[in-house]
Amino acid sequence: MGWAWAVKQESEARRWLVASGEQPIFTTRAHVFQIDPNTKKNWVPASKQAVTVSYFYDVTRNSYRIISVDGAKVIINSTITPNMTFTKTSQKFGQWADSRANTVFGLGFSSEQQLTKFAEKFLEVKEAARLARDKSQEKIETSSNHSQASSINGTDDEKASHAGPADTHLKSENDKLKIALTQSAANVKKWEVELQTLRESNARLTAALQESAASAEQWKRQFSVCRDENDRLRHKIDELEEQCSEINREKEKNTQLKRRIEELESELQEKETELKDLRKQSEIIPQLMSECEYVSEKLEAAERDNQNLEDKVRSLKTDIEESKYRQRHLKVELKNFLEVLDGKIDDLHDFRRGLSKLGTDN
C-alpha cells in the first residue's frame, strides 16, 4: 500500500512539476535522508550528494509542498499541513514527519545558516497552509449556511402548506447530499483528468520503450561490428606492443650503456682531479722537506733545553729537600736550646731569689 502511494506521489509530482509551470518560492541544497521503515531509528540516504530542495505553491489545490528531485527520481513530495513540525536535531540537521507518506524526512545542510533559513521558511509556509485551511473551512461553512437558509425557506413554504417536521429534515439531508454529490462529481472529473494524463504518460512511455527496444537492436548490431573491429585492433595492438617491447629493451640497453659511459667519464674526471692535486703537492714537497728539517732542528733544540730544565728541576728538588732537612734539624736544635735556656733562666731566678734572701738575712 505504501509502495503504491509512493509511486502515485512520484508520478503526481513529476506531472505537476511539468504541467504547473510554477516557480519555487524558496530553494536550497541539502543531503536528503529518510527514516528506515524497518527500525524506525536509522537514517537511510535518499541522495548520494547534495540536491535541490524547494518549497512550491500549488495554485489549483491551494497547498504548499516540499519537492526534491535527484535526476529523474522524485525523492521528496511532501504536502505541508498545519500539524507538521520541523525539528532541528543538530546544528546542521533537521527533520519532519509526513503522516501521508508514512515516513520521516531528514535534511543535512552544509551550514547552520541554511538550516535556520529552511526552518524559518517552514514555519512561514506552515502558517500559510493554516490560513488556507481556515479560508477553505469558511467557504464550506458559508456554503453550508446558504444551503441551510434555502432549507429554512423551503421549510417556511412547507409550513405554509402545513408540512411535517420530518419532511423538513429530509429536505435538509437531501440538500447536503446534493452538495456532497456535486463535490464528488468535481473530484471524479479531476481524477478522470489525472487518469487521462497518466494514460497519455503511459502511452508515451510505451512508445519510448519501443523506440528504446529498436535502438537496442541497432546498438547490438553496432556492438557486434565494433567487437569484431575491436578484436582486430587488439590483435594489431598486441603486435605493436611486442614491437614496442623490443624497442623498449633496446632503449633500456642504450640507457644502461649511456649511464655506464657517464659513470666512467665521472670517474675519469675524478682521477684527473686527483692527479692535478698530486702534481700540486709534488711541487711543494721540497719546501715541505726544508720546513720539516727546520722544525726537526727546532724540536731537537727544544728537547735539549727541556733536558737541561729537567736537570735543573731535579737539582732544585734536591736542594729543596736538603733545605727542608736542615730546617727540621735547626728547629730541633732551636727547641733544645730553648729548653736549655728555660732551665738556665729558672736557675737564674732561683739564684736571684737566693741572693735576695741572703741580703735580707744580712
Side-chain angles (χ1 to χ4, degrees), residues 334-347:
L334 181 60
K335 184 177 181 181
N336 294 330
F337 177 75
L338 290 174
E339 290 176 355
V340 172
L341 182 60
D342 289 337
K344 295 295 183 182
I345 291 171
D346 292 337
D347 293 338

Side-chain angles (χ1 to χ4, degrees), residues 1 14 87 132 169 198 265 274 291 296 303 309 347:
M1 186 70 180
R14 287 182 180 175
T87 305
H169 180 69
L198 289 174
E265 289 178 351
E274 291 179 359
E291 291 180 357
S296 297
E303 288 179 353
L309 290 173
D347 293 338

Side-chain angles (χ1 to χ4, degrees), residues 282-295:
S282 64
E283 293 177 354
I284 63 173
I285 284 175
Q287 181 180 356
L288 292 175
M289 290 296 291
S290 61
E291 291 180 357
C292 185
E293 291 176 355
Y294 177 74
V295 171

Side-chain angles (χ1 to χ4, degrees), residues 12 15-17 19-22 56-65 132 136 139 186-187 190 193-194:
E12 184 180 353
R15 180 183 59 79
W16 182 75
L17 285 173
S20 66
E22 294 288 341
F56 282 89
Y57 175 61
D58 189 347
V59 179
T60 57
R61 299 183 180 181
N62 193 21
S63 62
Y64 294 86
R65 297 188 185 188
S136 178
K139 289 181 180 179
N187 291 331
K190 182 172 66 176
V193 172
E194 291 182 358

